[in-house]
Structures are given as structure tokens and as C-alpha cells.
Amino acid sequence: MAKKTYDLLFKLLLIGDSGVGKTCVLFRFSDDAFNTTFISTIGRIILLKEANAIREYRCHERVHMVCNNAEVGGIDFKIKTVELQGKKIKLQIWDTAGQERFHTITTSYYRGAMGIMLVYDITNAKSFENISKWLRNIDEHANEDVERMLLGNKCDMEDKRVVPKAKGEQIAREHGIRFFETSAKANISIEKAFLTLAEDILRKTPVKEPNSENVDISGGSGVTGWKSKCCS
């Protein structure tokens, strides 16, 4: 049996309107990378070069990084291990991968999530207005004890800002959740936001070892003792 390399596994979600920068936020934290070629490719035909052969590949509800006309990866989740309070915490961070465009994010996506980052774009008023919808979605589908956090992304684009910081702070206060303004491009407060969310989860999580080294991609949190709603 493989030796355990972490103490706890936390499942985190990134949700919010399409185009607010969720994938860029994820990659900035997981890989310290920012690439403008992360694009939504739903229903688009792209070329896939594999084993020296080129074939057509139709993308359905996924986010891809496209480079030199070749698909190099579809993103469902990324893994990053951090150390907090003497514990190695494996963060399994899920991206909606384009599903938000078709309103297909369901209970199965939220199941087992221990932390949710709700992202809007400070240069897009509609993405901020839709926060209330996303919060209702969380209340309907997520565990009742899930930790929530609000991110106002693209704060480096101050000249194009249409959502004042005070509005983000206000809605966060109203719902009793943390708030950060972030920039994946300029690497502003990305790591701080993720670590803060992980710390908040850790504070109320019973300290138990995971059952195995395998990553649970079925939606389980990997930590026993977490209070959750009945799944149906």
C-alpha cells in the first residue's frame, strides 16, 4: 500500500458566470501560471494532434488550453498540497468547465464540497448581479456547512471597473462570508484567498486521516465526520 502523503483532503469548487476568470484563478494558484489561451470551447471543433495523427475532436462543456492548434488538456480539477497548522492538506479544486453556460451544475457537482469560491468579474456588472443566483444555487445543492468565499476577480483592470469594491464587501457582509478582490493575471491575493478558505475549513474539520492515497473524483470530500445534507 502506498504511503500516505497528506493528512486531509478538501474538495473545493470554483463557481460563477462564464468568463469571470475561474480557470485562470485555478491555474494561478495550482501552477503559478497565467495564460490568455484558456478559452471556452463548448461546441467548437478543434484539431487534436496525437501520436503524429491529426483528428477532429468536438468539445462538450469543457475548458481547454489550446496551443499551436492542438488541445493539450481538458480541465476538471487540479490538485495542490499545502501545509497548514502542521497538517498536509491536499486541495482538490474543481472548475465548472463550461457547465455554467448551460445551467447543468447539479447536486452531484456540489456533493462533498467543503469550500466554494464564488467568482465575479469587477469589469462585468452582470456577473456581479448574478451572485445572488449563485448563492441560491449553493443553498439548494451544497452541504449546509460548506465554507463560502466571494472573489471579485480582474482587480488589475481598474480602468475598466464597473463594480465598486464596497459593493462586494457589502454582499459578503450580508451573507456572512469572506471577500477578496483578486487578479489571476497580476497574481493579487490568489494564494491568500485559497489558504484562507482552507484554514477556515480546517478549523471546523475533525482531524482524521484519509482512507487512501487515491483521489476521489466522484465528489467525496475524503474526510470523514463532515456534516452533509442527504444526497438524492
Side-chain angles (χ1 to χ4, degrees):
M1 182 175 179
K3 183 180 179 181
K4 297 184 181 72
T5 59
Y6 61 95
D7 298 304
L8 297 168
L9 172 63
F10 293 169
K11 178 183 176 181
L12 309 181
L13 307 182
L14 285 166
I15 66 172
D17 283 8
S18 179
V20 298
K22 299 185 297 296
T23 301
C24 290
V25 166
L26 172 57
F27 270 79
R28 172 59 76 183
F29 177 66
S30 64
D31 299 345
D32 194 20
F34 178 82
N35 195 321
T36 57
T37 59
F38 290 126
I39 60 175
S40 180
T41 57
I42 299 163
R44 179 179 176 178
I45 299 293
I46 65 174
L47 294 177
L48 174 65
K49 183 179 295 185
E50 185 177 271
N52 298 320
I54 297 178
R55 63 184 178 85
E56 286 188 334
Y57 181 78
R58 182 176 296 276
C59 305
H60 292 289
E61 301 181 12
R62 295 176 67 82
V63 175
H64 296 273
M65 184 168 69
V66 178
C67 179
N68 297 326
N69 294 324
E71 179 202 58
V72 293
I75 308 306
D76 280 329
F77 68 88
K78 296 282 283 184
I79 294 289
K80 183 165 182 175
T81 301
V82 300
E83 187 165 335
L84 296 171
Q85 300 178 24
K87 297 289 183 182
K88 287 187 177 180
I89 313 296
K90 180 170 283 191
L91 304 179
Q92 183 190 93
I93 311 164
W94 288 74
D95 188 3
T96 50
Q99 295 178 74
E100 75 279 10
R101 284 178 176 262
F102 300 102
H103 308 288
T104 54
I105 300 175
T106 60
T107 302
S108 60
Y109 178 75
Y110 288 96
R111 186 176 297 129
M114 302 171 75
I116 298 177
M117 286 182 163
L118 173 52
V119 188
Y120 70 91
D121 175 356
I122 71 159
T123 72
N124 183 332
K126 185 66 175 177
S127 71
F128 181 75
E129 293 167 6
N130 285 337
I131 287 173
S132 295
K133 177 195 73 175
W134 286 109
L135 286 168
R136 288 194 299 271
N137 203 272
I138 292 172
D139 289 341
E140 181 179 355
H141 295 297
N143 300 338
E144 60 186 28
D145 287 346
V146 70
E147 284 291 332
R148 301 169 297 166
M149 176 178 285
L150 181 64
L151 300 185
N153 196 38
K154 304 186 184 180
C155 70
D156 59 290
M157 302 174 67
E158 190 63 37
D159 58 330
K160 296 183 179 179
R161 176 190 289 272
V162 296
V163 182
K165 184 176 183 180
K167 283 192 173 182
E169 292 172 332
Q170 179 182 355
I171 195 170
R173 282 196 303 270
E174 290 173 355
H175 291 273
I177 60 179
R178 293 187 185 271
F179 169 72
F180 289 93
E181 282 204 338
T182 60
S183 168
K185 182 177 182 179
N187 196 14
I188 298 172
S189 295
I190 298 293
E191 183 175 47
K192 183 178 181 181
F194 276 98
L195 294 183
T196 299
L197 183 60
E199 287 173 349
D200 289 344
I201 296 169
L202 181 59
R203 271 195 292 270
K204 65 180 187 182
T205 301
V207 179
K208 293 186 178 182
E209 292 185 353
N211 293 327
S212 70
E213 172 64 16
N214 295 330
V215 174
D216 178 9
I217 63 173
S218 64
S221 66
V223 180
T224 58
W226 183 260
K227 185 179 179 182
S228 64
K229 293 181 179 178
C230 179
C231 300
S232 61

